Amino acid sequence: MTNPYSGGNDDFPRYEPTDHPEDRPNYGQLPSYDGSHEENTQGYAGYQAGQRPYTGKVSAVDAVSWAFRTVFGNWKLWILGALALFALSIVLVVVAAGINAAGDSGTGQATAGSLVSQLISTVLSLVLSLVVMRLALFQIDDSRTGWGYLFKNVRWWQPLVIMLVIGAVSMFIAFSVVGGTVTGLLGDAENLTEEEATAAVLSVMGIMGVLLVISFFIQPLFSLMQWFAADGDSVGDAVKNGFQAGKNNYGQMLLLAILNFFIIIGGFLLLGIGLIVAYPVTLLAQAHMFRQCAERNTIPQV
């Protein structure tokens, strides 16, 4: 009997293609981080469409638990990296102090040297923030993430735009609410009695305290936006998706903020040494929480 699939050659049967993962052209490839949309994955290119999305219940506790395990499991990157950042910050402080001392005019006004040092420090902080965000997302996608991933496929301007806009809006609101009181206090300080000056300062501190409380309760609505941008979304999509994800998971986002606050406090209480663990833990917890809320991959490759 002739084999209909042999093409005239009856020596070996021919097997038709299957839908098994190993038969797909992209089987075995690493995740793509170039921001291009692959296959039919809508609005997301942080991992290949073949990887399984997160379908579980969003949990801040799970995010923090994973972050602690990861920091200690990959300590050569995260703990040593935190130590390197701490050492770099000390160097920057020393250099800035030297520049300020050399350019001190004695008038109490900011010098060109001090402004340049502040600008360099700000730019470097923003660059490092974007780098470590990308590194945290790499860690979720690949458990083998190490120092070789530094500065790899970092999305620069999209999350930076969102960070700058959020910062500018926050400063504008704070200045609009508190600025007038502070300006009046400073402008008429010589004519105020000690009791009036104390009352004015306390009122400013009270207003700032109220603003901090309000910002804490609304931060879940915008804190995920920069993560969406860092993970491949456009600025517009990141704003829209970040707001929606924050609103849908508002309670767990607040819980994560509370947990991260106590983790940082614990790091300070351990003479500051605990911050080399607290900082990467809170960063990784935010990244993992973002992936949960976005319903994207949370399972690292082994």
Side-chain angles (χ1 to χ4, degrees):
M1 178 182 239
T2 303
N3 185 348
Y5 301 108
S6 64
N9 184 351
D10 293 330
D11 294 335
F12 301 98
R14 195 182 84 183
Y15 295 95
E16 289 299 298
T18 68
D19 194 33
H20 295 166
E22 61 268 20
D23 292 328
R24 296 175 185 172
N26 61 357
Y27 177 72
Q29 296 179 3
L30 291 175
S32 171
Y33 302 94
D34 58 2
S36 62
H37 299 295
E38 298 178 0
E39 299 182 3
N40 291 322
T41 308
Q42 298 180 355
Y44 176 48
Y47 65 98
Q48 281 192 335
Q51 283 191 326
R52 145 171 57 171
Y54 179 77
T55 57
K57 186 177 180 180
V58 174
S59 171
V61 173
D62 287 349
V64 172
S65 176
W66 176 84
F68 269 107
R69 293 195 309 269
T70 301
V71 166
F72 288 107
N74 195 7
W75 63 271
K76 291 181 180 179
L77 174 63
W78 294 108
I79 293 181
L80 295 183
L83 281 172
L85 284 178
F86 179 70
L88 178 62
S89 64
I90 293 178
V91 171
L92 290 176
V93 169
V94 172
V95 171
I99 293 176
N100 293 339
D104 188 9
S105 61
T107 62
Q109 298 180 349
T111 62
S114 64
L115 293 176
V116 169
S117 65
Q118 292 175 12
L119 178 61
I120 292 175
S121 178
T122 301
V123 171
L124 188 58
S125 298
L126 289 173
V127 169
L128 290 176
S129 297
L130 298 175
V131 170
V132 295
M133 287 177 66
R134 176 72 269 181
L135 200 60
L137 294 173
F138 271 129
Q139 180 69 73
I140 295 176
D141 290 329
D142 191 348
S143 60
R144 299 162 294 184
T145 298
W147 289 96
Y149 283 72
L150 276 176
F151 297 98
K152 181 179 179 181
N153 297 330
V154 178
R155 300 193 86 227
W156 296 105
W157 72 269
Q158 294 92 341
L160 180 60
V161 167
I162 293 177
M163 292 166 64
L164 292 177
V165 169
I166 292 175
V169 171
S170 300
M171 291 181 61
F172 174 78
I173 294 175
F175 182 79
S176 299
V177 175
V178 185
T181 303
V182 173
T183 302
L185 175 62
L186 295 177
D188 198 34
E190 296 180 354
N191 299 325
L192 295 177
T193 63
E194 183 176 349
E195 291 77 11
E196 292 174 337
T198 301
V201 170
L202 290 177
S203 66
V204 170
M205 294 178 63
I207 295 173
M208 293 181 65
V210 171
L211 288 177
L212 288 174
V213 172
I214 294 175
S215 66
F216 173 78
F217 282 103
I218 67 173
Q219 57 84 24
L221 301 177
F222 60 81
S223 60
L224 292 178
M225 294 177 181
Q226 61 194 27
W227 285 102
F228 273 97
D231 205 32
D233 290 28
S234 66
V235 172
D237 287 341
V239 171
K240 179 180 65 177
N241 294 336
F243 178 82
Q244 189 65 40
K247 184 181 70 171
N248 293 342
N249 302 281
Y250 182 82
Q252 289 298 317
M253 290 293 296
L254 276 183
L255 178 58
L256 179 67
I258 294 172
L259 293 175
N260 282 346
F261 172 77
F262 283 109
I263 290 171
I264 294 296
I265 292 297
F268 274 114
L269 293 179
L270 294 174
L271 302 178
I273 300 176
L275 290 177
I276 65 174
V277 173
Y279 173 68
V281 164
T282 55
L283 173 73
L284 287 170
Q286 291 172 30
H288 198 274
M289 189 68 175
F290 152 68
R291 282 288 182 83
Q292 292 184 53
C293 294
E295 298 181 356
R296 300 177 180 179
N297 180 49
T298 58
I299 304 176
Q301 298 181 49
V302 180

